Amino acid sequence: MTYKAQVTVTLRPSILDPQGKATHHALTQLEFDQINHVRIGKFIEMEIEAPSPGDAQRIAEDAADKLLANPVMEDFSVHVEEVQPVG
Amino acid sequence: MTYKAQVTVTLRPSILDPQGKATHHALTQLEFDQINHVRIGKFIEMEIEAPSPGDAQRIAEDAADKLLANPVMEDFSVHVEEVQPVG
């Protein structure tokens, strides 16, 4: 079975985010004064061949832990859903 | 009222994703052979001061359209929720 996994990787709250600060600054220049606390993370989509959603979830978490996220600085969350066959 | 907006920015399906290809290659080296079609996007979190969730949604979509996403190459989706007061 093919599953689609979405992995969201975010910086831990204690880690400074210069990219988020720069984006916030740019938004302020565009007069988005209502926006604060901008933080930038990564969003990774992938397809996983696995016998069950639980296996797909475990493979995605393992990949996030070993490669996609830096466990010292980043947190991640994984969402898995079945790929709908076309037609 | 303060709302938390999460903006997910993904490359359009027709756009090549060399970063995703490199990540897929690295996953294969780590023997994650069940994983395919890796695509990398951005995940932006921000706080928005707005009178209603609808207004917060509109502000976040406007910011994504004008700055966070490149409308030629990227799609985005916005999710807004109320910030729970601490305590």
Side-chain angles (χ1 to χ4, degrees):
Chain A
M1 197 77 100
T2 304
Y3 296 91
K4 185 158 96 174
Q6 302 180 321
V7 181
T8 308
V9 179
T10 50
L11 279 174
R12 295 202 163 176
S14 60
I15 306 286
L16 288 177
D17 180 3
Q19 199 187 355
K21 280 253 184 295
T23 304
H24 180 219
H25 181 71
L27 286 167
T28 309
Q29 302 280 55
L30 292 173
E31 301 187 353
F32 283 101
D33 299 320
Q34 321 90 325
I35 298 181
N36 285 300
H37 296 108
V38 181
R39 293 189 62 90
I40 313 273
K42 280 179 290 183
F43 179 77
I44 300 120
E45 281 181 308
M46 52 203 186
E47 284 183 14
I48 301 181
E49 291 295 329
S52 76
D55 287 309
Q57 176 90 21
R58 204 158 39 247
I59 291 167
E61 287 176 359
D62 201 21
D65 198 45
K66 289 197 178 131
L67 182 80
L68 305 174
N70 172 347
V72 176
M73 295 172 61
E74 294 172 326
D75 292 317
F76 65 83
S77 67
V78 173
H79 173 78
V80 164
E81 62 193 39
E82 210 174 299
V83 172
Q84 299 303 321
V86 178
Chain B
M1 197 76 102
T2 305
Y3 296 90
K4 184 158 98 175
Q6 301 181 322
V7 181
T8 307
V9 179
T10 49
L11 279 174
R12 297 201 162 179
S14 59
I15 306 286
L16 287 177
D17 180 3
Q19 197 186 356
K21 278 253 183 297
T23 304
H24 179 221
H25 181 73
L27 286 167
T28 308
Q29 302 282 55
L30 292 172
E31 300 187 355
F32 283 101
D33 298 319
Q34 322 88 327
I35 298 181
N36 285 300
H37 296 108
V38 181
R39 299 200 43 104
I40 312 274
K42 282 179 289 183
F43 179 77
I44 300 120
E45 280 182 310
M46 52 202 185
E47 284 182 15
I48 301 180
E49 292 294 331
S52 76
D55 288 308
Q57 177 90 20
R58 204 157 39 244
I59 291 166
E61 287 177 359
D62 202 21
D65 198 46
K66 289 197 178 131
L67 183 79
L68 304 174
N70 172 348
V72 176
M73 295 171 61
E74 294 171 328
D75 293 318
F76 64 85
S77 67
V78 173
H79 173 79
V80 164
E81 63 192 38
E82 211 174 298
V83 173
Q84 299 303 321
V86 179

